[in-house]
């Protein structure tokens, strides 16, 4: 782990800290790349977190959410203790089997799903995978298929 202190800053409505350049270089080396979102893990004030390091507006930032730090939007200017390390564990969220089966039954929906950007497919998968009951999964699978066929809305979006 790479420990450092950082001041919480704000861009738009999002609290973040900068990761020092020497640590970024080590993370890039561990990740084997310097582009795109990089999965990381570490601690924030001794509390473990999993997050993604992203480059925005020309700078690499570690965004801090309320899961990582309670009341983080109200803590701008606070100095925090941070550790950071590349997280090699895959973070793929697989679609529920019932959704995969529904896509197989609807080739047009499967084609629409496959043509979506990866981020949109992830959004759908995450939403469906986090549902708690079989009834809500069945109901939302039906909505997702209708959305992919161009009928209705799903996860707050109109036509795909």
């Amino acid at each position: 782990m790479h420990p450092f202190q950082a001041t919480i800053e704000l861009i738009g409505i999002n609290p973040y800290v900068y990761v020092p350049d020497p640590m970024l270089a080590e993370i890039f080396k561990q990740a084997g790349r310097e582009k795109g979102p990089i999965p990381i893990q570490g601690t924030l004030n001794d509390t473990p977190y999993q997050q993604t390091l992203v480059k925005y507006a020309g700078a690499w930032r570690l965004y801090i959410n309320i899961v990582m730090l309670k009341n983080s939007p109200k803590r701008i200017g606070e100095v925090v203790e941070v550790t950071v390390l590349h997280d090699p564990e895959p973070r793929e969220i697989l679609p529920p089997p019932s959704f995969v089966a529904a896509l197989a039954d609807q080739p047009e929906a499967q084609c629409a799903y496959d043509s979506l950007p990866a981020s949109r497919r992830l959004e759908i998968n995450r939403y469906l995978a986090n549902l708690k009951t079989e009834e809500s999964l069945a109901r939302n699978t039906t909505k997702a298929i209708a959305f992919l066929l161009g009928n209705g809305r799903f996860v707050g979006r109109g036509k795909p």
Side-chain angles (χ1 to χ4, degrees), residues 44-159:
L44 180 63
N45 288 347
D46 296 322
T47 302
Y49 70 84
Q50 252 190 340
Q51 186 61 288
T52 304
L53 191 62
V54 294
K55 189 172 187 178
Y56 177 73
W60 285 93
R61 303 166 197 270
L62 169 57
Y63 287 93
I64 299 174
N65 57 40
I66 58 175
V67 173
M68 294 169 65
L69 184 66
K70 187 176 179 181
N71 294 323
S72 58
K74 297 177 183 174
R75 297 172 79 167
I76 307 309
E78 183 178 325
V79 176
V80 291
E81 297 283 334
V82 183
T83 63
V84 64
L85 179 70
H86 173 251
D87 186 1
E89 292 299 315
R91 297 209 184 150
E92 186 177 8
I93 298 174
L94 298 174
S98 59
F99 181 60
V100 172
L103 287 173
D105 290 343
Q106 294 280 342
E108 289 179 39
Q110 179 73 61
C111 183
Y113 177 79
D114 291 342
S115 69
L116 292 173
S119 61
R120 186 81 39 84
R121 288 191 308 267
L122 176 63
E123 184 178 15
I124 291 170
N125 293 348
R126 180 183 298 126
Y127 183 85
L128 294 173
N130 286 322
L131 293 171
K132 304 222 185 299
T133 67
E134 288 299 318
E135 295 80 23
S136 63
L137 178 58
R139 184 175 59 250
N140 282 282
T141 295
T142 300
K143 287 181 183 179
I145 296 297
F147 164 76
L148 291 167
L149 294 173
N151 304 317
R153 299 174 57 82
F154 189 67
V155 290
R157 299 190 182 272
K159 294 181 181 180

Side-chain angles (χ1 to χ4, degrees), residues 9-16 56-57 61 63:
E9 300 185 36
L10 189 69
I11 187 165
I13 60 169
N14 302 304
Y16 71 93
Y56 177 73
R61 303 166 197 270
Y63 287 93

